[in-house]
Amino acid sequence: VNDGITDNTEVVKKAVQYCKEKNKDLYIEQGTYLIKDRIIIDFPLRIQGSNIDNTKLLFELPEPSTETKYDDTYWEESNSAFIIKSDNAAISNLTIQNKNLEDRRWNGIIFHYPKTKDDGSKFYASSERCELSSLNIKNFKSGIFIYGGWSRNISMSKIFDCTYGIKYEALENINWSTSGDMISNCYIAGSKECGLYANKTFETSIDGVIFEYNKIPTMAGLSSFAH
């Protein structure tokens, strides 16, 4: 029910599962759909709304769950509207908005997730070759949070009124966080801390991005970065 009031969480989760079983894309008609839990994408799903302004997923997580490093359910920075755990996934033509405009404890979209090695030790993997295009992302802790992996394409999107617009962070305290991403033709505005925070990122390019009304437009600790 696209009235912005009815809880559509289980409907959306069932639709995602159906697409996984039938190898289908997911199309969301125009309207405002209230979501009260994280949507986890663990296969190369393509989600498309009818229009960037007319299809809205309104995210309302009552309280963030406790995050523990490498936990299989709630790990670092995993309180988010979308968790992309698969390569070659895509989201386009819709708005993703945190319902509580004053409470930014959740991320919009993340790409990293814990995996277990053969010896039993855990590490963070990250989905790659994913596309985010024609999105409005509003009122989150980080509109997009990225750790690890490479070759994501973020384009034609507006990220505003978040604490961080796009945040790259090296969670495991190693010497790199990600590489090879392309951020193009986006508008990042109203960030309470930083529009683009890039810690230990390299071989990543920004082209045609407008920064406006951010406390700090960009903050980067980089080895190779085209701007």
Side-chain angles (χ1 to χ4, degrees), residues 56-84:
K56 178 186 292 186
L57 295 181
L58 198 59
F59 183 68
E60 182 184 39
L61 195 62
E63 288 293 333
S65 295
T66 301
E67 295 173 324
T68 304
K69 192 170 185 177
Y70 306 132
D71 182 82
D72 291 335
T73 303
Y74 279 95
W75 57 95
E76 286 180 285
E77 301 291 350
S78 66
N79 282 295
S80 58
F82 280 92
I83 299 174
I84 301 178

PDB file of all heavy atoms in Angstrom, residues 56-84:
ATOM      1  N   LYS A  56       8.975   6.391  -3.700  1.00  0.00           N
ATOM      2  CA  LYS A  56       9.729   6.684  -2.480  1.00  0.00           C
ATOM      3  C   LYS A  56       9.634   5.511  -1.509  1.00  0.00           C
ATOM      4  O   LYS A  56       8.563   4.989  -1.240  1.00  0.00           O
ATOM      5  CB  LYS A  56       9.197   7.944  -1.801  1.00  0.00           C
ATOM      6  CG  LYS A  56       9.909   8.301  -0.495  1.00  0.00           C
ATOM      7  CD  LYS A  56       9.260   9.478   0.207  1.00  0.00           C
ATOM      8  CE  LYS A  56       9.440  10.760  -0.546  1.00  0.00           C
ATOM      9  NZ  LYS A  56       8.928  11.930   0.218  1.00  0.00           N
ATOM     10  N   LEU A  57      10.799   5.102  -0.994  1.00  0.00           N
ATOM     11  CA  LEU A  57      10.865   4.146   0.111  1.00  0.00           C
ATOM     12  C   LEU A  57      11.203   4.934   1.363  1.00  0.00           C
ATOM     13  O   LEU A  57      12.280   5.526   1.482  1.00  0.00           O
ATOM     14  CB  LEU A  57      11.920   3.077  -0.158  1.00  0.00           C
ATOM     15  CG  LEU A  57      11.655   2.161  -1.349  1.00  0.00           C
ATOM     16  CD1 LEU A  57      12.761   1.125  -1.481  1.00  0.00           C
ATOM     17  CD2 LEU A  57      10.309   1.472  -1.237  1.00  0.00           C
ATOM     18  N   LEU A  58      10.258   4.973   2.291  1.00  0.00           N
ATOM     19  CA  LEU A  58      10.404   5.723   3.523  1.00  0.00           C
ATOM     20  C   LEU A  58      10.864   4.755   4.613  1.00  0.00           C
ATOM     21  O   LEU A  58      10.151   3.817   4.970  1.00  0.00           O
ATOM     22  CB  LEU A  58       9.065   6.364   3.883  1.00  0.00           C
ATOM     23  CG  LEU A  58       9.046   7.511   4.884  1.00  0.00           C
ATOM     24  CD1 LEU A  58       9.911   8.669   4.404  1.00  0.00           C
ATOM     25  CD2 LEU A  58       7.610   7.974   5.111  1.00  0.00           C
ATOM     26  N   PHE A  59      12.063   4.977   5.132  1.00  0.00           N
ATOM     27  CA  PHE A  59      12.701   4.030   6.044  1.00  0.00           C
ATOM     28  C   PHE A  59      12.513   4.474   7.486  1.00  0.00           C
ATOM     29  O   PHE A  59      12.824   5.606   7.857  1.00  0.00           O
ATOM     30  CB  PHE A  59      14.194   3.946   5.713  1.00  0.00           C
ATOM     31  CG  PHE A  59      14.957   2.952   6.548  1.00  0.00           C
ATOM     32  CD1 PHE A  59      14.737   1.593   6.410  1.00  0.00           C
ATOM     33  CD2 PHE A  59      15.911   3.374   7.453  1.00  0.00           C
ATOM     34  CE1 PHE A  59      15.455   0.671   7.164  1.00  0.00           C
ATOM     35  CE2 PHE A  59      16.638   2.469   8.211  1.00  0.00           C
ATOM     36  CZ  PHE A  59      16.399   1.117   8.069  1.00  0.00           C
ATOM     37  N   GLU A  60      12.004   3.547   8.313  1.00  0.00           N
ATOM     38  CA  GLU A  60      11.779   3.848   9.731  1.00  0.00           C
ATOM     39  C   GLU A  60      12.205   2.653  10.566  1.00  0.00           C
ATOM     40  O   GLU A  60      11.460   1.699  10.742  1.00  0.00           O
ATOM     41  CB  GLU A  60      10.304   4.174   9.989  1.00  0.00           C
ATOM     42  CG  GLU A  60      10.018   4.549  11.434  1.00  0.00           C
ATOM     43  CD  GLU A  60       8.535   4.781  11.694  1.00  0.00           C
ATOM     44  OE1 GLU A  60       7.712   4.034  11.128  1.00  0.00           O
ATOM     45  OE2 GLU A  60       8.212   5.703  12.446  1.00  0.00           O
ATOM     46  N   LEU A  61      13.430   2.702  11.057  1.00  0.00           N
ATOM     47  CA  LEU A  61      13.924   1.670  11.962  1.00  0.00           C
ATOM     48  C   LEU A  61      13.808   2.222  13.385  1.00  0.00           C
ATOM     49  O   LEU A  61      14.483   3.194  13.719  1.00  0.00           O
ATOM     50  CB  LEU A  61      15.379   1.326  11.638  1.00  0.00           C
ATOM     51  CG  LEU A  61      15.952   0.053  12.229  1.00  0.00           C
ATOM     52  CD1 LEU A  61      15.199  -1.167  11.725  1.00  0.00           C
ATOM     53  CD2 LEU A  61      17.430  -0.078  11.890  1.00  0.00           C
ATOM     54  N   PRO A  62      12.919   1.659  14.211  1.00  0.00           N
ATOM     55  CA  PRO A  62      12.644   2.261  15.519  1.00  0.00           C
ATOM     56  C   PRO A  62      13.891   2.501  16.361  1.00  0.00           C
ATOM     57  O   PRO A  62      14.092   3.582  16.886  1.00  0.00           O
ATOM     58  CB  PRO A  62      11.702   1.252  16.170  1.00  0.00           C
ATOM     59  CG  PRO A  62      11.052   0.549  15.029  1.00  0.00           C
ATOM     60  CD  PRO A  62      12.109   0.469  13.964  1.00  0.00           C
ATOM     61  N   GLU A  63      14.735   1.503  16.488  1.00  0.00           N
ATOM     62  CA  GLU A  63      15.981   1.646  17.232  1.00  0.00           C
ATOM     63  C   GLU A  63      17.070   0.863  16.508  1.00  0.00           C
ATOM     64  O   GLU A  63      16.818  -0.240  16.030  1.00  0.00           O
ATOM     65  CB  GLU A  63      15.847   1.124  18.662  1.00  0.00           C
ATOM     66  CG  GLU A  63      15.009   1.994  19.567  1.00  0.00           C
ATOM     67  CD  GLU A  63      15.661   3.341  19.840  1.00  0.00           C
ATOM     68  OE1 GLU A  63      16.901   3.427  19.782  1.00  0.00           O
ATOM     69  OE2 GLU A  63      14.922   4.299  20.098  1.00  0.00           O
ATOM     70  N   PRO A  64      18.277   1.413  16.420  1.00  0.00           N
ATOM     71  CA  PRO A  64      19.357   0.645  15.794  1.00  0.00           C
ATOM     72  C   PRO A  64      19.747  -0.544  16.661  1.00  0.00           C
ATOM     73  O   PRO A  64      19.784  -0.447  17.886  1.00  0.00           O
ATOM     74  CB  PRO A  64      20.506   1.661  15.699  1.00  0.00           C
ATOM     75  CG  PRO A  64      20.215   2.653  16.770  1.00  0.00           C
ATOM     76  CD  PRO A  64      18.723   2.736  16.878  1.00  0.00           C
ATOM     77  N   SER A  65      19.993  -1.681  16.035  1.00  0.00           N
ATOM     78  CA  SER A  65      20.449  -2.853  16.770  1.00  0.00           C
ATOM     79  C   SER A  65      21.938  -2.724  17.076  1.00  0.00           C
ATOM     80  O   SER A  65      22.669  -1.995  16.410  1.00  0.00           O
ATOM     81  CB  SER A  65      20.179  -4.118  15.961  1.00  0.00           C
ATOM     82  OG  SER A  65      18.796  -4.322  15.797  1.00  0.00           O
ATOM     83  N   THR A  66      22.390  -3.437  18.090  1.00  0.00           N
ATOM     84  CA  THR A  66      23.795  -3.371  18.484  1.00  0.00           C
ATOM     85  C   THR A  66      24.670  -4.000  17.409  1.00  0.00           C
ATOM     86  O   THR A  66      24.479  -5.147  17.024  1.00  0.00           O
ATOM     87  CB  THR A  66      24.008  -4.094  19.821  1.00  0.00           C
ATOM     88  OG1 THR A  66      23.183  -3.488  20.813  1.00  0.00           O
ATOM     89  CG2 THR A  66      25.460  -4.006  20.249  1.00  0.00           C
ATOM     90  N   GLU A  67      25.637  -3.224  16.943  1.00  0.00           N
ATOM     91  CA  GLU A  67      26.538  -3.712  15.901  1.00  0.00           C
ATOM     92  C   GLU A  67      27.826  -4.216  16.533  1.00  0.00           C
ATOM     93  O   GLU A  67      28.429  -3.551  17.369  1.00  0.00           O
ATOM     94  CB  GLU A  67      26.840  -2.585  14.909  1.00  0.00           C
ATOM     95  CG  GLU A  67      25.605  -2.129  14.146  1.00  0.00           C
ATOM     96  CD  GLU A  67      25.865  -0.901  13.294  1.00  0.00           C
ATOM     97  OE1 GLU A  67      26.650  -0.045  13.743  1.00  0.00           O
ATOM     98  OE2 GLU A  67      25.292  -0.789  12.209  1.00  0.00           O
ATOM     99  N   THR A  68      28.231  -5.423  16.142  1.00  0.00           N
ATOM    100  CA  THR A  68      29.466  -6.032  16.623  1.00  0.00           C
ATOM    101  C   THR A  68      30.316  -6.426  15.426  1.00  0.00           C
ATOM    102  O   THR A  68      29.812  -6.986  14.463  1.00  0.00           O
ATOM    103  CB  THR A  68      29.171  -7.294  17.464  1.00  0.00           C
ATOM    104  OG1 THR A  68      28.289  -6.939  18.527  1.00  0.00           O
ATOM    105  CG2 THR A  68      30.450  -7.881  18.031  1.00  0.00           C
ATOM    106  N   LYS A  69      31.580  -6.125  15.487  1.00  0.00           N
ATOM    107  CA  LYS A  69      32.456  -6.388  14.357  1.00  0.00           C
ATOM    108  C   LYS A  69      32.344  -7.837  13.888  1.00  0.00           C
ATOM    109  O   LYS A  69      32.447  -8.774  14.684  1.00  0.00           O
ATOM    110  CB  LYS A  69      33.902  -6.078  14.742  1.00  0.00           C
ATOM    111  CG  LYS A  69      34.864  -6.048  13.565  1.00  0.00           C
ATOM    112  CD  LYS A  69      36.216  -5.508  13.995  1.00  0.00           C
ATOM    113  CE  LYS A  69      37.137  -5.378  12.787  1.00  0.00           C
ATOM    114  NZ  LYS A  69      38.450  -4.792  13.169  1.00  0.00           N
ATOM    115  N   TYR A  70      32.077  -8.016  12.610  1.00  0.00           N
ATOM    116  CA  TYR A  70      31.974  -9.318  11.932  1.00  0.00           C
ATOM    117  C   TYR A  70      30.772 -10.151  12.359  1.00  0.00           C
ATOM    118  O   TYR A  70      30.656 -11.314  12.000  1.00  0.00           O
ATOM    119  CB  TYR A  70      33.244 -10.150  12.128  1.00  0.00           C
ATOM    120  CG  TYR A  70      34.511  -9.447  11.719  1.00  0.00           C
ATOM    121  CD1 TYR A  70      35.628  -9.435  12.547  1.00  0.00           C
ATOM    122  CD2 TYR A  70      34.588  -8.799  10.502  1.00  0.00           C
ATOM    123  CE1 TYR A  70      36.792  -8.789  12.169  1.00  0.00           C
ATOM    124  CE2 TYR A  70      35.748  -8.138  10.123  1.00  0.00           C
ATOM    125  CZ  TYR A  70      36.855  -8.142  10.970  1.00  0.00           C
ATOM    126  OH  TYR A  70      37.989  -7.496  10.596  1.00  0.00           O
ATOM    127  N   ASP A  71      29.853  -9.586  13.122  1.00  0.00           N
ATOM    128  CA  ASP A  71      28.644 -10.327  13.454  1.00  0.00           C
ATOM    129  C   ASP A  71      27.858 -10.616  12.186  1.00  0.00           C
ATOM    130  O   ASP A  71      27.770  -9.779  11.275  1.00  0.00           O
ATOM    131  CB  ASP A  71      27.786  -9.506  14.419  1.00  0.00           C
ATOM    132  CG  ASP A  71      26.536 -10.247  14.835  1.00  0.00           C
ATOM    133  OD1 ASP A  71      26.628 -11.082  15.741  1.00  0.00           O
ATOM    134  OD2 ASP A  71      25.475  -9.983  14.239  1.00  0.00           O
ATOM    135  N   ASP A  72      27.272 -11.801  12.083  1.00  0.00           N
ATOM    136  CA  ASP A  72      26.596 -12.195  10.846  1.00  0.00           C
ATOM    137  C   ASP A  72      25.278 -11.466  10.617  1.00  0.00           C
ATOM    138  O   ASP A  72      24.746 -11.469   9.506  1.00  0.00           O
ATOM    139  CB  ASP A  72      26.352 -13.708  10.836  1.00  0.00           C
ATOM    140  CG  ASP A  72      27.644 -14.503  10.708  1.00  0.00           C
ATOM    141  OD1 ASP A  72      28.617 -13.955  10.162  1.00  0.00           O
ATOM    142  OD2 ASP A  72      27.687 -15.657  11.166  1.00  0.00           O
ATOM    143  N   THR A  73      24.708 -10.884  11.653  1.00  0.00           N
ATOM    144  CA  THR A  73      23.420 -10.197  11.514  1.00  0.00           C
ATOM    145  C   THR A  73      23.570  -8.687  11.528  1.00  0.00           C
ATOM    146  O   THR A  73      23.134  -8.001  10.608  1.00  0.00           O
ATOM    147  CB  THR A  73      22.463 -10.642  12.634  1.00  0.00           C
ATOM    148  OG1 THR A  73      22.309 -12.067  12.581  1.00  0.00           O
ATOM    149  CG2 THR A  73      21.096  -9.996  12.457  1.00  0.00           C
ATOM    150  N   TYR A  74      24.175  -8.153  12.583  1.00  0.00           N
ATOM    151  CA  TYR A  74      24.400  -6.712  12.686  1.00  0.00           C
ATOM    152  C   TYR A  74      25.889  -6.457  12.911  1.00  0.00           C
ATOM    153  O   TYR A  74      26.401  -6.633  14.005  1.00  0.00           O
ATOM    154  CB  TYR A  74      23.577  -6.108  13.832  1.00  0.00           C
ATOM    155  CG  TYR A  74      22.147  -5.838  13.463  1.00  0.00           C
ATOM    156  CD1 TYR A  74      21.159  -6.772  13.748  1.00  0.00           C
ATOM    157  CD2 TYR A  74      21.784  -4.662  12.818  1.00  0.00           C
ATOM    158  CE1 TYR A  74      19.833  -6.530  13.398  1.00  0.00           C
ATOM    159  CE2 TYR A  74      20.465  -4.418  12.467  1.00  0.00           C
ATOM    160  CZ  TYR A  74      19.493  -5.351  12.760  1.00  0.00           C
ATOM    161  OH  TYR A  74      18.191  -5.119  12.409  1.00  0.00           O
ATOM    162  N   TRP A  75      26.566  -6.057  11.869  1.00  0.00           N
ATOM    163  CA  TRP A  75      27.988  -5.776  11.945  1.00  0.00           C
ATOM    164  C   TRP A  75      28.203  -4.272  11.840  1.00  0.00           C
ATOM    165  O   TRP A  75      27.266  -3.492  11.768  1.00  0.00           O
ATOM    166  CB  TRP A  75      28.739  -6.530  10.847  1.00  0.00           C
ATOM    167  CG  TRP A  75      28.237  -6.225   9.460  1.00  0.00           C
ATOM    168  CD1 TRP A  75      28.744  -5.295   8.592  1.00  0.00           C
ATOM    169  CD2 TRP A  75      27.147  -6.840   8.779  1.00  0.00           C
ATOM    170  NE1 TRP A  75      28.046  -5.277   7.412  1.00  0.00           N
ATOM    171  CE2 TRP A  75      27.043  -6.236   7.500  1.00  0.00           C
ATOM    172  CE3 TRP A  75      26.228  -7.837   9.111  1.00  0.00           C
ATOM    173  CZ2 TRP A  75      26.077  -6.586   6.574  1.00  0.00           C
ATOM    174  CZ3 TRP A  75      25.270  -8.189   8.165  1.00  0.00           C
ATOM    175  CH2 TRP A  75      25.203  -7.575   6.922  1.00  0.00           C
ATOM    176  N   GLU A  76      29.448  -3.836  11.838  1.00  0.00           N
ATOM    177  CA  GLU A  76      29.741  -2.402  11.816  1.00  0.00           C
ATOM    178  C   GLU A  76      29.059  -1.705  10.640  1.00  0.00           C
ATOM    179  O   GLU A  76      29.156  -2.152   9.497  1.00  0.00           O
ATOM    180  CB  GLU A  76      31.253  -2.173  11.723  1.00  0.00           C
ATOM    181  CG  GLU A  76      31.996  -2.463  13.013  1.00  0.00           C
ATOM    182  CD  GLU A  76      33.473  -2.218  12.863  1.00  0.00           C
ATOM    183  OE1 GLU A  76      34.129  -3.049  12.227  1.00  0.00           O
ATOM    184  OE2 GLU A  76      33.974  -1.193  13.370  1.00  0.00           O
ATOM    185  N   GLU A  77      28.382  -0.611  10.936  1.00  0.00           N
ATOM    186  CA  GLU A  77      27.709   0.230   9.934  1.00  0.00           C
ATOM    187  C   GLU A  77      26.618  -0.522   9.161  1.00  0.00           C
ATOM    188  O   GLU A  77      26.296  -0.178   8.026  1.00  0.00           O
ATOM    189  CB  GLU A  77      28.730   0.836   8.950  1.00  0.00           C
ATOM    190  CG  GLU A  77      29.784   1.691   9.590  1.00  0.00           C
ATOM    191  CD  GLU A  77      29.256   3.001  10.144  1.00  0.00           C
ATOM    192  OE1 GLU A  77      28.096   3.357   9.872  1.00  0.00           O
ATOM    193  OE2 GLU A  77      30.008   3.678  10.872  1.00  0.00           O
ATOM    194  N   SER A  78      26.024  -1.554   9.764  1.00  0.00           N
ATOM    195  CA  SER A  78      25.013  -2.343   9.039  1.00  0.00           C
ATOM    196  C   SER A  78      23.582  -1.904   9.330  1.00  0.00           C
ATOM    197  O   SER A  78      22.647  -2.491   8.786  1.00  0.00           O
ATOM    198  CB  SER A  78      25.166  -3.832   9.360  1.00  0.00           C
ATOM    199  OG  SER A  78      24.861  -4.098  10.722  1.00  0.00           O
ATOM    200  N   ASN A  79      23.392  -0.920  10.188  1.00  0.00           N
ATOM    201  CA  ASN A  79      22.057  -0.351  10.362  1.00  0.00           C
ATOM    202  C   ASN A  79      21.781   0.568   9.184  1.00  0.00           C
ATOM    203  O   ASN A  79      22.184   1.735   9.171  1.00  0.00           O
ATOM    204  CB  ASN A  79      21.967   0.411  11.684  1.00  0.00           C
ATOM    205  CG  ASN A  79      21.807  -0.523  12.861  1.00  0.00           C
ATOM    206  OD1 ASN A  79      20.799  -1.215  12.977  1.00  0.00           O
ATOM    207  ND2 ASN A  79      22.793  -0.566  13.730  1.00  0.00           N
ATOM    208  N   SER A  80      21.114   0.058   8.171  1.00  0.00           N
ATOM    209  CA  SER A  80      20.946   0.798   6.921  1.00  0.00           C
ATOM    210  C   SER A  80      19.673   0.349   6.219  1.00  0.00           C
ATOM    211  O   SER A  80      19.161  -0.742   6.475  1.00  0.00           O
ATOM    212  CB  SER A  80      22.148   0.584   6.006  1.00  0.00           C
ATOM    213  OG  SER A  80      22.317  -0.788   5.733  1.00  0.00           O
ATOM    214  N   ALA A  81      19.188   1.190   5.343  1.00  0.00           N
ATOM    215  CA  ALA A  81      17.980   0.842   4.599  1.00  0.00           C
ATOM    216  C   ALA A  81      18.242  -0.306   3.629  1.00  0.00           C
ATOM    217  O   ALA A  81      17.453  -1.248   3.536  1.00  0.00           O
ATOM    218  CB  ALA A  81      17.460   2.066   3.848  1.00  0.00           C
ATOM    219  N   PHE A  82      19.345  -0.238   2.882  1.00  0.00           N
ATOM    220  CA  PHE A  82      19.705  -1.287   1.927  1.00  0.00           C
ATOM    221  C   PHE A  82      21.091  -1.817   2.237  1.00  0.00           C
ATOM    222  O   PHE A  82      22.030  -1.051   2.458  1.00  0.00           O
ATOM    223  CB  PHE A  82      19.703  -0.754   0.492  1.00  0.00           C
ATOM    224  CG  PHE A  82      18.337  -0.660  -0.124  1.00  0.00           C
ATOM    225  CD1 PHE A  82      17.609   0.510  -0.033  1.00  0.00           C
ATOM    226  CD2 PHE A  82      17.783  -1.736  -0.795  1.00  0.00           C
ATOM    227  CE1 PHE A  82      16.348   0.610  -0.603  1.00  0.00           C
ATOM    228  CE2 PHE A  82      16.527  -1.649  -1.364  1.00  0.00           C
ATOM    229  CZ  PHE A  82      15.807  -0.472  -1.263  1.00  0.00           C
ATOM    230  N   ILE A  83      21.220  -3.135   2.257  1.00  0.00           N
ATOM    231  CA  ILE A  83      22.509  -3.805   2.348  1.00  0.00           C
ATOM    232  C   ILE A  83      22.699  -4.588   1.053  1.00  0.00           C
ATOM    233  O   ILE A  83      21.949  -5.517   0.769  1.00  0.00           O
ATOM    234  CB  ILE A  83      22.576  -4.757   3.550  1.00  0.00           C
ATOM    235  CG1 ILE A  83      22.380  -3.982   4.858  1.00  0.00           C
ATOM    236  CG2 ILE A  83      23.904  -5.506   3.572  1.00  0.00           C
ATOM    237  CD1 ILE A  83      22.281  -4.870   6.082  1.00  0.00           C
ATOM    238  N   ILE A  84      23.680  -4.196   0.272  1.00  0.00           N
ATOM    239  CA  ILE A  84      23.958  -4.888  -0.992  1.00  0.00           C
ATOM    240  C   ILE A  84      25.101  -5.864  -0.750  1.00  0.00           C
ATOM    241  O   ILE A  84      26.240  -5.461  -0.539  1.00  0.00           O
ATOM    242  CB  ILE A  84      24.295  -3.895  -2.110  1.00  0.00           C
ATOM    243  CG1 ILE A  84      23.126  -2.922  -2.314  1.00  0.00           C
ATOM    244  CG2 ILE A  84      24.604  -4.629  -3.400  1.00  0.00           C
ATOM    245  CD1 ILE A  84      23.376  -1.859  -3.367  1.00  0.00           C
TER     246      ILE A  84
END
